Amino acid sequence: MRNKLQMAFALAGLFFVAPVQAGDDIEGLARTCYGCHGTNGVSVGQSMPSIAGLSADYLKTVMMEWKSGARASANMTRLISGYSDAEIAGLASYFSKLPWTPQVQKTSKETLAKGKAASDRCESCHGVTGGEPDGDDIPRLNGQWAKYLELELMKYRDEAFQMSHKKMIKNARKLDEGEVNSVAEYFGAQSK
Amino acid sequence: MSQFNRREFIKTLAAASSASALAFPSIARAAAKARVIVIGGGYGGATAAKYVKLLDPGIDVTLIEPNKTYTSCPLSNEVISGYRDIKTLQIGYDGLKKRGVNVLQDLVVGVDRAKKTVTLQGGKTLQYDAMVMSPGVEFHYNTLEGYSEAVINDIPHAWKAGEQTLILKKQLEAMPDGGKFVIVVPKGPFRCPPGPYERASQVASYLKHHGKAKSKIIILDANDSHSKKGLFQQAWKALYGFEKEGLGTSGMIEWVKASEGGNVNKLDAATKTVHSDFVDLKADVLNIIPPHKAGKIAVTADLAKADGWCKVVPMTMASAEDEAIYTIGDSCVAGEMALYGNPNANFDMPKSAHIAMTQAKVAAAAIVAKVNGLPTPTPYYANTCYSIVDEGYGFSVAHQYRVVDGTFKYIKEGSGISPMAMPDKSPVPPIYRKLEAEYADGWLRNVMADAFG
Ligand SMILES: Cc1cc2nc3c(=O)[nH]c(=O)nc-3n(C[C@H](O)[C@H](O)[C@H](O)COP(=O)(O)OP(=O)(O)OC[C@H]3O[C@@H](n4cnc5c(N)ncnc54)[C@H](O)[C@@H]3O)c2cc1C
């Protein structure tokens, strides 16, 4: 752990280095993500994911897969080659140290019940509420935007969209069409 | 936690050095560390005010904006087509006030750069140590014969969102099937490079879904090409029967470039007829986007010296004319435009809300560093513009810029448009267009909150 003053420097984005030197002014770079991912990586837009508080391992893996082409995306692929590997690691570390901020969304009782039932298949990896992932390579789902989760499930389920994680792909495709929305809303409604 | 540390950090700094007093002599006497005035509460100004305060709560920040409520231009084309309520685009200044920004509802009418003061219409004169200038654009109606501000309720521009957007929407709704909706596009640079073509698409979507598919949308363009042209034409072909470029083609949308008569030079407002060198066209609904340049107050302050735009120092967004003033957003030109005769220039930053906000953050960090006697932080600039062409069909462009050796550098490998085709040349699966249509709304909510929240 860095000392308090260093930490404060980093938080204030006031580490100063020559341009295009990797990874040293991460907060300044991170601020360019806020337009899409929200101030400090906490999204208030339903289709955009919060990225603050996801594990560094997951964040880095996802970004490096976009960079290598192993994983498709509608937006991030285009941006990611603009960052060095060191910057990507720095961004992953930066956002992972911010707190996970669930946006607890309301949904109907029926949807919750249906979603909970469908989530049985998810529990072993994501935890009952999506908030206790069984490993650093698994993202939190509790209080992530349901709309975003639904779109992600759509990607895992669509053969035309190249995702990388075989088990997650398999699990997403086992859901019935009608369960996709409710399981997403179930996780979106969880605070912890 | 971060808040606490940040304050402590600033306190430590203030105690440890008197550098701030050196950078800004007047502040040694003032209660606050420094006074920052922000002109304009649009995307650029709001973001700058918020981030100066976030990075150093000890700085006194005053934002001056004449309107009580801001209406976002981004996604306002969706209001015209009826997909979106204009209320979803409106936001006030309470969020900034809660963060400790003084918000004055007034208009800046004068800037005395020697004395570092601004004068407000209401009569006040305020002193600044640093100023952020983000007044957006001013329309130059008189560059088109027969056109003036007096006709805009009849011939709306809808290029500053609000009442104008609603007028255009009403006119569209009243237009009969078979009518002509004409969009006149000025010579670039103009704010939101893909905006006119997104508007044409939204109007087409409205017409198609409201039983008025015999209508025409004719874009008379003072330019020979435009942003995301390939993507737009691909979408127009798929959705609206676009045939090919040029007037008199068979699709719902016709695009007429400058060299083929798109360059409108005269208006007969009474009959809604526009004239170019080769074309005379009578419209049912006429939407003229007026030529524009830097906001008037930037001109008054003698800062808009690059062909009517404000030139900046790439590391900080400070004006090339005055190091105490940071000129950001639509009113600046960031990058060497080919227009200015630089043969090596391959870009200039597009005029977008997204870029205005990253410019604002660079300026805020530079100001805070200067006040605290610290070296200039590394600047990062980025742009994104989503365009929605129909329900569930969107695409985007992204740009990144850094500063190398004191000049802007376009980061080509971190930029680009949505794919036209997959790497194996097969068509792009519909899920991509669907995702981007969804992301546009999420982006909007986040930029609004990041700027005003
Ligand atoms: C139809 C349309 C669609 C668009 N879509 C997108 C999009 O999808 N994505 C995107 O990123 N961008 C988009 N844009 C562009 C975006 O709106 C602008 O780039 C952005 O608003 C620029 O911010 P700004 O702060 O420079 O200016 P503005 O947002 O125009 O704000 C300027 C403010 O300054 C105030 N002001 C002016 N003069 C004074 C004065 N003398 N004293 C005090 N206050 C003053 C004005 O009242 C105004 O509120 C779109 C624009 C249009 C027209």
Side-chain angles (χ1 to χ4, degrees), chain A residues 8 12 14 16-17 19 25 28-29 31 34-36 39 43-45 47-48 72 75 78-79 81-83 87 147 158, chain B residues 9 50-51 55 361 375 377-378 380 386 396 398 400 402-403 413-414 416-418 432 436 438-439 442 445-446 450:
Chain A
L14 296 171
F16 309 103
V17 286
D25 190 23
L29 185 55
R31 271 182 221 133
Y34 298 174
C36 290
T39 309
S43 174
V44 297
S47 58
M48 286 286 183
N75 275 186
R78 263 177 284 151
L79 305 175
S81 301
Y83 316 121
E87 284 171 340
K147 180 82 211 179
D158 191 329
Chain B
F9 150 66
K50 170 171 165 173
Y51 275 84
L55 294 176
K361 291 171 189 178
T378 307
Y380 299 96
Y386 289 98
S396 65
Q400 292 187 50
R402 296 195 183 190
V403 177
E413 51 280 14
I417 59 169
S418 306
Y432 281 81
E436 292 214 83
E438 298 282 358
Y439 294 151
R445 303 262 60 95
N446 281 325
D450 195 31

Side-chain angles (χ1 to χ4, degrees), chain B residues 394-418:
Chain B
F395 45 73
S396 65
V397 61
H399 301 92
Q400 292 187 50
Y401 308 89
R402 296 195 183 190
V403 177
V404 176
D405 299 331
T407 57
F408 289 112
K409 181 168 171 25
Y410 175 48
I411 308 295
K412 209 160 68 190
E413 51 280 14
S415 307
I417 59 169
S418 306

Side-chain angles (χ1 to χ4, degrees), chain A residues 4-5 7-9 11-21 23-40 42-49 72-75 77-84 87 94 97-98 147-148 151-152 154-156 158 160-162, chain B residues 1-2 4-6 8-10 12-13 50-51 54-55 315 354 357-358 361 365 368-369 374-384 386 396-400 402-405 411 413-419 422 429 431-432 434-436 438-443 445-447 449-450:
Chain A
K4 219 175 201 176
L5 186 67
M7 185 67 166
F9 262 92
L11 282 165
L14 296 171
F15 260 128
F16 309 103
V17 286
V20 203
Q21 246 185 41
D24 290 309
D25 190 23
I26 289 300
E27 160 125 14
L29 185 55
R31 271 182 221 133
T32 66
C33 319
Y34 298 174
C36 290
H37 290 293
T39 309
N40 297 325
V42 178
S43 174
V44 297
Q46 303 188 1
S47 58
M48 286 286 183
S73 97
N75 275 186
T77 304
R78 263 177 284 151
L79 305 175
I80 209 74
S81 301
Y83 316 121
S84 68
E87 284 171 340
Y94 177 80
K97 286 184 184 133
L98 299 173
K147 180 82 211 179
Y148 166 73
L151 294 173
E152 285 303 294
M154 207 172 93
K155 290 185 189 168
Y156 287 115
D158 191 329
F161 205 93
Q162 184 197 336
Chain B
M1 169 201 102
S2 63
F4 170 76
N5 278 339
R6 194 171 292 147
E8 190 162 271
F9 150 66
I10 297 293
T12 315
L13 263 171
K50 170 171 165 173
Y51 275 84
L54 263 179
L55 294 176
M315 278 301 284
H354 201 104
M357 290 177 68
T358 57
K361 291 171 189 178
V368 170
L374 292 163
T376 307
T378 307
Y380 299 96
Y381 301 98
N383 173 54
T384 307
Y386 289 98
S396 65
V397 61
H399 301 92
Q400 292 187 50
R402 296 195 183 190
V403 177
V404 176
D405 299 331
I411 308 295
E413 51 280 14
S415 307
I417 59 169
S418 306
M422 300 313 274
I431 182 173
Y432 281 81
K434 154 114 179 116
L435 285 167
E436 292 214 83
E438 298 282 358
Y439 294 151
D441 178 71
W443 169 85
R445 303 262 60 95
N446 281 325
V447 283
D450 195 31

